[in-house]
Every structure is written in structure tokens, then in C-alpha cells.
Amino acid sequence: ELKVEQNPLFLSMQEGKNYTIYCNYSTTSDRLYWYRQDPGKSLESLFVLLSNGAVKQEGRLMASLDTKARLSTLHITAAVHDLSATYFCAGLIQGAQKLVFGQGTRLTINP
Amino acid sequence: ETGVTQTPRHLVMGMTNKKSLKCEQHLGHNAMYWYKQSAKKPLELMFVYNFKEQTENNSVPSRFSPECPNSSHLFLHLHTLQPEDSALYLCASSQDSLSLYGYTFGSGTRLTVV
């Protein structure tokens, strides 16, 4: 059974700082996804990581995947207030068509 | 709008009521999903439909009854719910082989059971 764990679950940081959210998963997963959720809103797809060593970047966010360590990271560079949201990672169960989500990391960026 | 539309956005119902949640997508996707998001738990998969056929029921109580009349529409029928069923119910869709973009989520229905 695939289990996905994120840490930290809560993160408060200052604008301009860098930080990393970690996503560990328990068994082999074909793909790793990152989503963003604003309060009261739906989940927005950020990145899809397909293979070992994959790195994707969009603006101040960069995601990477290490399948050997069963670890994905979401790195935030020079944070700005607009990035405040809850970030979820999700793994795909091999051979099945369903995503298993982590608990989410609630990120608050203070001016 | 994300391409997946859920109605209503908010719903308050008594424990003896019967109500339905609706989800609609016109993305050409063949799979649709119901997820439950509550305050203290990760997103929980409830049901999966692939080409209108239910392929997953994640041990969901029978007071939740899904219906998928075609690949574009998904319903969740609710009856005799409990207060602990209060949550955000999210619908999602994907290509049958899970596209590179994963799931597309709707905005959710915020359900309160009183």
C-alpha cells in the first residue's frame, strides 16, 4: 500500500527566504505530483515528475524527484506572500489509476 | 473555472435529509473520482469511475451512493448522513491512462451536516 508523508505540515516563513517541503513515499510510484490549494478553493496542478532525477521549475518553485530515496522536494526560492497556500504531493499507485495524497503542507509567508 | 464544475458549492443538510452532489466535466476525460477532504485527514479517495463503470469503492459507507450516467457526469447521493461527514467533497477527472497533468479537480462542495 502506498503511503505518502509530507513534512513539515505547517511552515511559516518570511518573504525573501528559501525553504524546502519534503515528500516521502513508501513504495514504488510511477509518478509524483505536486498540487497547490488556496483556502476554500480547489487543487491546482503544479508539477508532474515522471522519472528519477526529474526537475521541474516554475517561477519561484522547483520540484525534484529521487526515486531511489523515494523522495520528492518542493523548493521555494525568495518566497513572496502570493505563494501562501497548502501544498500537496501525491503518488500514483503502480498499475492502478489513483493518486494517494500526502497530508499537505500549509505554507504561510509573512511580509 | 477548472473544466470540472461542481454544484452546489455549499450545502447544509439535516441528518434525515436526502441530497445529491453533482459534478460535470467537458474535458473529454474518461475517469472521474470523488474525494473527501476533512480538516484533520489527508484527501481520502472515495470512488473511482472509469468509462462509467465503478472501479473503486474505498470502503465508503452506504449512506454515500455514487452514480455515473456517462463519462461527463458524476453524482454523489447522500442520505442519513452523520455530523462527521461534514467536509469538502472534491470531484476530479483524468484521462483513462492518467494524463501527464494528473487529475483536474473541481472547486468542491462544502457540506455541513447538522
Side-chain angles (χ1 to χ4, degrees):
Chain A
E1 181 187 352
L2 176 62
K3 293 186 179 178
V4 180
E5 293 190 354
Q6 291 179 234
N7 75 85
L9 300 184
F10 299 92
L11 177 56
S12 181
M13 54 192 292
Q14 295 292 319
E15 279 192 328
K17 300 291 187 182
N18 303 332
Y19 210 81
T20 300
I21 299 170
Y22 297 89
C23 175
N24 291 90
Y25 53 97
S26 59
T27 63
T28 303
S29 179
D30 287 346
R31 300 175 182 176
L32 200 293
Y33 299 79
W34 283 95
Y35 285 86
R36 167 182 173 149
Q37 186 179 35
D38 292 298
K41 299 287 183 66
S42 186
L43 276 77
E44 173 192 355
S45 179
L46 294 175
F47 300 109
V48 181
L49 302 168
L50 300 177
S51 60
N52 188 42
V55 177
K56 296 268 183 85
Q57 183 163 5
E58 181 74 33
R60 301 175 187 274
L61 300 179
M62 183 173 72
S64 65
L65 178 63
D66 181 345
T67 57
K68 293 180 181 178
R70 295 179 184 163
L71 171 68
S72 180
T73 60
L74 181 66
H75 187 74
I76 303 141
T77 302
V80 293
H81 179 70
D82 287 351
L83 291 178
S84 296
T86 300
Y87 292 85
F88 292 90
C89 64
L92 179 67
I93 293 182
Q94 267 195 330
Q97 190 180 336
K98 54 183 183 179
L99 296 182
V100 176
F101 284 83
Q103 312 95 309
T105 297
R106 185 177 294 178
L107 174 64
T108 303
I109 299 169
N110 303 304
Chain B
E1 291 295 330
T2 64
V4 178
T5 303
Q6 288 188 245
T7 54
R9 294 293 300 271
H10 301 273
L11 178 62
V12 179
M13 60 186 288
M15 289 189 282
T16 58
N17 290 159
K18 290 184 180 181
K19 296 287 184 183
S20 296
L21 310 184
K22 180 181 177 182
C23 177
E24 185 174 358
Q25 60 92 6
H26 295 288
L27 299 170
H29 290 172
N30 296 311
M32 297 186 77
Y33 312 81
W34 280 115
Y35 274 85
K36 176 183 178 181
Q37 186 178 32
S38 49
K40 297 183 179 179
K41 290 186 178 181
L43 280 154
E44 300 174 81
L45 178 65
M46 299 176 72
F47 301 103
V48 179
Y49 276 83
N50 198 9
F51 290 96
K52 304 188 300 178
E53 299 297 321
Q54 187 181 122
T55 57
E56 183 89 19
N57 176 339
N58 201 24
S59 302
V60 180
S62 59
R63 57 187 184 268
F64 296 92
S65 175
E67 178 189 2
C68 188
N70 54 61
S71 294
S72 299
H73 294 85
L74 184 64
F75 295 89
L76 188 62
H77 304 299
L78 315 171
H79 64 97
T80 59
L81 295 191
Q82 305 298 312
E84 59 264 29
D85 296 322
S86 298
L88 179 67
Y89 289 84
L90 289 164
C91 173
S93 69
S94 72
Q95 296 288 350
D96 54 358
S97 58
L98 200 64
S99 72
L100 287 178
Y101 299 99
Y103 295 179
T104 302
F105 281 88
S107 299
T109 295
R110 174 70 61 185
L111 173 67
T112 304
V113 181
V114 297

